[in-house]
Amino acid sequence: MNDEQLQRYSRQIMLPDFDYQGQQSLLHAKVLVIGLGGLGSPVALYLAAAGVGTLVLVDDDQVDHSNLQRQIIHGESDVGTNKAVSAQKSIAALNSEVSVIVLQQRLAGETLDQQVRDATIVLDCSDNLVTRLAVNKACIKYQVPLVTGAAIRMEGQVTVVDPRQPDAPCYACFMQLVGEQDRSCSTNGVMAPLVGIIGAIQAMEAIKVLSNLGQPLVGKLLLLDAKTMQWQTFGVAKEESCPSCGLN
Ligand SMILES: [Zn+2]
């Protein structure tokens, strides 16, 4: 790190548990962000500001006027532009040192495998269950940690999957327990700051995993009901019969 970087990240480096080593681990990380919508906006902005070395931004969708209410990485002039391209522009303005790779596509199959394998950590900020389960599977296959988040109406959830820990449950283990419907913001609605809260937690968990700081939400599902501002944490064990990480 040069003097300018030491100064830029000084408020993090002065944290004793994080230190110079923590900042170095962010600088060397290649973080895959899947989806640059409501969750991906704060995730990409905070990780760029915090000093992650490389961000791989994936989205096949264009910015729509109805996205601006909550997808704060995009502005009015970005309507009609691909979301990953638009996010890259905002990140360049915030921290030009971050190297950004843009993929204007929906990750699946071979390309999903390739991107997950090359990543230090994956942040799932997608808006659908099919993608979340596919990303979860790829992360298990290549033993890459995953921070997955979801937000709808006034409710949100976050968990961390760390396949490097043999006894840790995966995203599908949780879904077997709590049950998950594939609900979309376009039909159910979502309150603007909710995605900011959940996305910021995802960014925080990613920084913790990357820098080996504190206790990430591995084996725990954090749930928020923003109407009452009640937080709940459910612990879950690995499901032997889990279709994604189970023995068979
Ligand atoms: Zn599982």
Side-chain angles (χ1 to χ4, degrees):
M1 261 183 281
N2 56 39
D3 285 353
E4 211 172 296
Q5 288 173 312
L6 285 171
Q7 200 184 13
R8 177 169 195 143
Y9 305 117
S10 60
R11 302 303 189 272
Q12 285 172 187
I13 294 170
M14 69 173 62
L15 298 170
D17 294 349
F18 186 73
D19 214 313
Y20 183 82
Q21 289 307 324
Q23 194 63 47
Q24 283 285 99
S25 63
L26 296 194
L27 283 170
H28 292 139
K30 186 176 183 183
V31 179
L32 178 61
V33 181
I34 300 175
L36 275 303
L39 298 173
S41 290
V43 160
L45 287 170
Y46 270 121
L47 292 181
V52 160
T54 305
L55 285 172
V56 183
L57 307 179
V58 188
D59 209 307
D60 67 336
D61 198 14
Q62 281 83 43
V63 179
D64 183 83
H65 207 252
S66 67
N67 298 148
L68 301 177
Q69 161 255 7
R70 65 194 180 284
Q71 303 185 9
I72 58 167
I73 205 166
H74 313 300
E76 288 178 3
S77 64
D78 301 316
V79 171
T81 307
N82 173 273
K83 289 185 182 179
V85 172
S86 162
Q88 181 182 34
K89 196 184 71 181
S90 301
I91 289 168
L94 174 63
N95 189 348
S96 58
E97 283 183 357
V98 178
S99 140
V100 179
I101 297 163
V102 163
L103 298 173
Q104 302 181 51
Q105 56 182 276
R106 184 165 281 226
L107 280 191
E110 183 63 28
T111 27
L112 172 63
D113 272 19
Q114 221 172 56
Q115 290 303 324
V116 168
R117 194 181 54 213
D118 292 348
T120 320
I121 191 168
V122 178
L123 283 101
D124 190 341
C125 307
S126 68
D127 58 358
N128 68 89
L129 190 58
V130 173
T131 301
R132 278 200 285 272
L133 288 172
V135 171
N136 175 62
K137 248 185 174 163
C139 287
I140 294 165
K141 189 170 170 186
Y142 296 106
Q143 305 233 310
V144 176
L146 163 69
V147 184
T148 187
I152 194 110
R153 297 185 297 244
M154 297 278 281
E155 299 132 44
Q157 61 180 45
V158 187
T159 189
V160 177
V161 176
D162 193 345
R164 300 168 303 179
Q165 302 179 23
D167 295 329
C170 78
Y171 179 69
C173 291
F174 282 106
M175 290 310 108
Q176 283 195 311
L177 184 84
V178 297
E180 170 86 333
Q181 302 123 17
D182 204 2
R183 301 170 303 186
S184 76
C185 293
S186 53
T187 50
N188 291 275
V190 60
M191 190 57 78
L194 177 72
V195 289
I197 297 169
I198 299 298
I201 292 173
Q202 284 184 270
M204 177 67 91
E205 291 298 299
I207 288 171
K208 284 162 62 185
V209 172
L210 288 171
S211 62
N212 221 351
L213 169 67
Q215 287 99 38
L217 287 167
V218 178
K220 291 174 188 159
L221 182 68
L222 179 67
L223 295 174
L224 168 65
D225 177 357
K227 268 194 215 167
T228 53
M229 213 42 95
Q230 300 228 43
W231 297 84
Q232 280 182 292
T233 311
F234 286 104
V236 163
K238 188 187 177 90
E239 271 290 327
E240 298 279 300
S241 62
C242 173
S244 297
C245 74
L247 295 173
N248 36 5

mmCIF file of all heavy atoms in Angstrom, residues 22 26 47 54 65 86-87 90 96 103 108 116-117 143 145 149 160-161 180 190 192 206 233 241:
data_model
loop_
_atom_site.group_PDB
_atom_site.id
_atom_site.type_symbol
_atom_site.label_atom_id
_atom_site.label_comp_id
_atom_site.label_asym_id
_atom_site.label_seq_id
_atom_site.Cartn_x
_atom_site.Cartn_y
_atom_site.Cartn_z
ATOM 1 N N GLY A 22 -5.936 -6.650 7.280
ATOM 2 C CA GLY A 22 -7.320 -6.669 6.816
ATOM 3 C C GLY A 22 -7.471 -5.875 5.526
ATOM 4 O O GLY A 22 -8.129 -6.323 4.581
ATOM 5 N N LEU A 26 -8.555 -7.049 1.562
ATOM 6 C CA LEU A 26 -9.571 -6.443 0.684
ATOM 7 C C LEU A 26 -8.956 -6.090 -0.669
ATOM 8 O O LEU A 26 -9.540 -6.344 -1.720
ATOM 9 C CB LEU A 26 -10.166 -5.178 1.314
ATOM 10 C CG LEU A 26 -10.959 -5.302 2.619
ATOM 11 C CD1 LEU A 26 -11.731 -4.014 2.870
ATOM 12 C CD2 LEU A 26 -11.906 -6.487 2.596
ATOM 13 N N LEU A 47 -18.347 -1.828 -0.917
ATOM 14 C CA LEU A 47 -17.130 -2.616 -1.129
ATOM 15 C C LEU A 47 -16.094 -1.813 -1.904
ATOM 16 O O LEU A 47 -14.897 -1.907 -1.634
ATOM 17 C CB LEU A 47 -17.454 -3.938 -1.830
ATOM 18 C CG LEU A 47 -18.257 -4.942 -0.985
ATOM 19 C CD1 LEU A 47 -18.508 -6.219 -1.775
ATOM 20 C CD2 LEU A 47 -17.555 -5.269 0.333
ATOM 21 N N THR A 54 -10.756 -5.853 -6.725
ATOM 22 C CA THR A 54 -11.454 -6.115 -7.985
ATOM 23 C C THR A 54 -12.913 -6.467 -7.730
ATOM 24 O O THR A 54 -13.223 -7.301 -6.883
ATOM 25 C CB THR A 54 -10.792 -7.293 -8.741
ATOM 26 O OG1 THR A 54 -9.404 -7.002 -8.907
ATOM 27 C CG2 THR A 54 -11.431 -7.514 -10.099
ATOM 28 N N HIS A 65 -36.919 3.321 -15.056
ATOM 29 C CA HIS A 65 -37.314 4.469 -14.255
ATOM 30 C C HIS A 65 -37.813 4.053 -12.866
ATOM 31 O O HIS A 65 -37.564 4.732 -11.859
ATOM 32 C CB HIS A 65 -38.400 5.240 -15.007
ATOM 33 C CG HIS A 65 -38.443 6.680 -14.662
ATOM 34 N ND1 HIS A 65 -39.444 7.244 -13.916
ATOM 35 C CD2 HIS A 65 -37.563 7.680 -14.929
ATOM 36 C CE1 HIS A 65 -39.186 8.524 -13.746
ATOM 37 N NE2 HIS A 65 -38.069 8.824 -14.349
ATOM 38 N N SER A 86 -23.760 0.862 -15.768
ATOM 39 C CA SER A 86 -24.112 2.043 -14.986
ATOM 40 C C SER A 86 -23.417 2.025 -13.618
ATOM 41 O O SER A 86 -22.889 3.046 -13.157
ATOM 42 C CB SER A 86 -25.633 2.101 -14.814
ATOM 43 O OG SER A 86 -25.989 2.956 -13.759
ATOM 44 N N ALA A 87 -23.384 0.853 -12.992
ATOM 45 C CA ALA A 87 -22.729 0.721 -11.679
ATOM 46 C C ALA A 87 -21.235 0.985 -11.794
ATOM 47 O O ALA A 87 -20.638 1.622 -10.923
ATOM 48 C CB ALA A 87 -22.984 -0.682 -11.118
ATOM 49 N N SER A 90 -20.536 4.697 -11.610
ATOM 50 C CA SER A 90 -20.628 5.249 -10.253
ATOM 51 C C SER A 90 -19.421 4.864 -9.411
ATOM 52 O O SER A 90 -18.914 5.667 -8.618
ATOM 53 C CB SER A 90 -21.895 4.751 -9.551
ATOM 54 O OG SER A 90 -23.023 5.127 -10.278
ATOM 55 N N SER A 96 -11.513 5.305 -8.002
ATOM 56 C CA SER A 96 -10.954 4.964 -9.323
ATOM 57 C C SER A 96 -9.904 3.858 -9.240
ATOM 58 O O SER A 96 -9.483 3.317 -10.258
ATOM 59 C CB SER A 96 -10.343 6.215 -9.955
ATOM 60 O OG SER A 96 -9.341 6.741 -9.101
ATOM 61 N N LEU A 103 -19.947 -7.787 -16.627
ATOM 62 C CA LEU A 103 -20.513 -8.877 -17.424
ATOM 63 C C LEU A 103 -21.997 -8.592 -17.649
ATOM 64 O O LEU A 103 -22.792 -8.640 -16.715
ATOM 65 C CB LEU A 103 -20.345 -10.220 -16.701
ATOM 66 C CG LEU A 103 -18.910 -10.681 -16.427
ATOM 67 C CD1 LEU A 103 -18.899 -11.926 -15.551
ATOM 68 C CD2 LEU A 103 -18.183 -10.961 -17.738
ATOM 69 N N ALA A 108 -25.097 -18.392 -15.761
ATOM 70 C CA ALA A 108 -25.641 -19.740 -15.593
ATOM 71 C C ALA A 108 -24.632 -20.722 -16.164
ATOM 72 O O ALA A 108 -23.720 -20.326 -16.900
ATOM 73 C CB ALA A 108 -26.981 -19.869 -16.312
ATOM 74 N N VAL A 116 -17.472 -18.077 -10.466
ATOM 75 C CA VAL A 116 -17.436 -18.433 -9.042
ATOM 76 C C VAL A 116 -16.061 -19.000 -8.681
ATOM 77 O O VAL A 116 -15.482 -18.643 -7.654
ATOM 78 C CB VAL A 116 -18.569 -19.438 -8.699
ATOM 79 C CG1 VAL A 116 -18.357 -20.044 -7.319
ATOM 80 C CG2 VAL A 116 -19.927 -18.750 -8.782
ATOM 81 N N ARG A 117 -15.537 -19.848 -9.551
ATOM 82 C CA ARG A 117 -14.227 -20.477 -9.303
ATOM 83 C C ARG A 117 -13.130 -19.428 -9.164
ATOM 84 O O ARG A 117 -12.215 -19.561 -8.351
ATOM 85 C CB ARG A 117 -13.909 -21.436 -10.461
ATOM 86 C CG ARG A 117 -12.774 -22.408 -10.198
ATOM 87 C CD ARG A 117 -12.533 -23.278 -11.417
ATOM 88 N NE ARG A 117 -12.322 -22.443 -12.596
ATOM 89 C CZ ARG A 117 -12.690 -22.779 -13.841
ATOM 90 N NH1 ARG A 117 -13.297 -23.910 -14.068
ATOM 91 N NH2 ARG A 117 -12.452 -21.961 -14.851
ATOM 92 N N GLN A 143 -15.993 -24.342 -3.379
ATOM 93 C CA GLN A 143 -15.599 -23.970 -2.010
ATOM 94 C C GLN A 143 -15.296 -22.483 -1.872
ATOM 95 O O GLN A 143 -14.282 -22.092 -1.277
ATOM 96 C CB GLN A 143 -14.391 -24.797 -1.578
ATOM 97 C CG GLN A 143 -14.625 -26.294 -1.690
ATOM 98 C CD GLN A 143 -14.325 -27.020 -0.410
ATOM 99 O OE1 GLN A 143 -13.268 -26.844 0.188
ATOM 100 N NE2 GLN A 143 -15.264 -27.817 0.043
ATOM 101 N N PRO A 145 -16.766 -18.853 -0.465
ATOM 102 C CA PRO A 145 -17.796 -18.327 0.434
ATOM 103 C C PRO A 145 -18.806 -17.433 -0.291
ATOM 104 O O PRO A 145 -18.470 -16.799 -1.297
ATOM 105 C CB PRO A 145 -17.008 -17.539 1.485
ATOM 106 C CG PRO A 145 -15.611 -17.459 1.004
ATOM 107 C CD PRO A 145 -15.414 -18.466 -0.072
ATOM 108 N N GLY A 149 -28.436 -12.402 0.156
ATOM 109 C CA GLY A 149 -29.421 -11.523 0.787
ATOM 110 C C GLY A 149 -30.700 -11.480 -0.023
ATOM 111 O O GLY A 149 -30.699 -11.779 -1.218
ATOM 112 N N VAL A 160 -24.626 -16.235 5.483
ATOM 113 C CA VAL A 160 -23.316 -16.472 4.877
ATOM 114 C C VAL A 160 -23.125 -17.980 4.759
ATOM 115 O O VAL A 160 -23.347 -18.716 5.719
ATOM 116 C CB VAL A 160 -22.179 -15.866 5.734
ATOM 117 C CG1 VAL A 160 -20.817 -16.175 5.123
ATOM 118 C CG2 VAL A 160 -22.374 -14.361 5.890
ATOM 119 N N VAL A 161 -22.750 -18.422 3.576
ATOM 120 C CA VAL A 161 -22.455 -19.834 3.342
ATOM 121 C C VAL A 161 -20.941 -19.946 3.187
ATOM 122 O O VAL A 161 -20.355 -19.234 2.372
ATOM 123 C CB VAL A 161 -23.167 -20.331 2.056
ATOM 124 C CG1 VAL A 161 -22.795 -21.773 1.754
ATOM 125 C CG2 VAL A 161 -24.676 -20.176 2.188
ATOM 126 N N GLU A 180 -39.233 -21.110 1.098
ATOM 127 C CA GLU A 180 -39.002 -19.863 0.363
ATOM 128 C C GLU A 180 -39.896 -19.829 -0.853
ATOM 129 O O GLU A 180 -39.907 -20.729 -1.673
ATOM 130 C CB GLU A 180 -37.535 -19.782 -0.053
ATOM 131 C CG GLU A 180 -37.223 -18.670 -1.010
ATOM 132 C CD GLU A 180 -36.944 -17.351 -0.315
ATOM 133 O OE1 GLU A 180 -37.455 -17.135 0.806
ATOM 134 O OE2 GLU A 180 -36.245 -16.538 -0.875
ATOM 135 N N VAL A 190 -41.459 -3.008 -2.444
ATOM 136 C CA VAL A 190 -40.342 -3.008 -1.495
ATOM 137 C C VAL A 190 -40.061 -1.564 -1.082
ATOM 138 O O VAL A 190 -40.128 -0.647 -1.887
ATOM 139 C CB VAL A 190 -39.086 -3.690 -2.106
ATOM 140 C CG1 VAL A 190 -38.613 -2.964 -3.359
ATOM 141 C CG2 VAL A 190 -37.953 -3.788 -1.087
ATOM 142 N N ALA A 192 -37.806 1.534 0.029
ATOM 143 C CA ALA A 192 -36.465 1.937 -0.413
ATOM 144 C C ALA A 192 -35.323 1.609 0.565
ATOM 145 O O ALA A 192 -34.364 0.927 0.196
ATOM 146 C CB ALA A 192 -36.446 3.427 -0.763
ATOM 147 N N ALA A 206 -19.223 -9.642 4.000
ATOM 148 C CA ALA A 206 -18.166 -9.962 3.029
ATOM 149 C C ALA A 206 -16.811 -9.468 3.537
ATOM 150 O O ALA A 206 -15.812 -10.189 3.464
ATOM 151 C CB ALA A 206 -18.494 -9.319 1.677
ATOM 152 N N THR A 233 -32.444 -14.167 14.670
ATOM 153 C CA THR A 233 -31.390 -15.004 14.081
ATOM 154 C C THR A 233 -31.737 -16.466 14.320
ATOM 155 O O THR A 233 -31.989 -16.867 15.456
ATOM 156 C CB THR A 233 -30.028 -14.706 14.730
ATOM 157 O OG1 THR A 233 -29.833 -13.289 14.742
ATOM 158 C CG2 THR A 233 -28.903 -15.341 13.943
ATOM 159 N N SER A 241 -29.837 -34.395 4.110
ATOM 160 C CA SER A 241 -30.644 -34.681 2.907
ATOM 161 C C SER A 241 -30.722 -33.488 1.971
ATOM 162 O O SER A 241 -31.484 -33.503 1.009
ATOM 163 C CB SER A 241 -32.060 -35.063 3.338
ATOM 164 O OG SER A 241 -32.650 -33.968 4.014
#
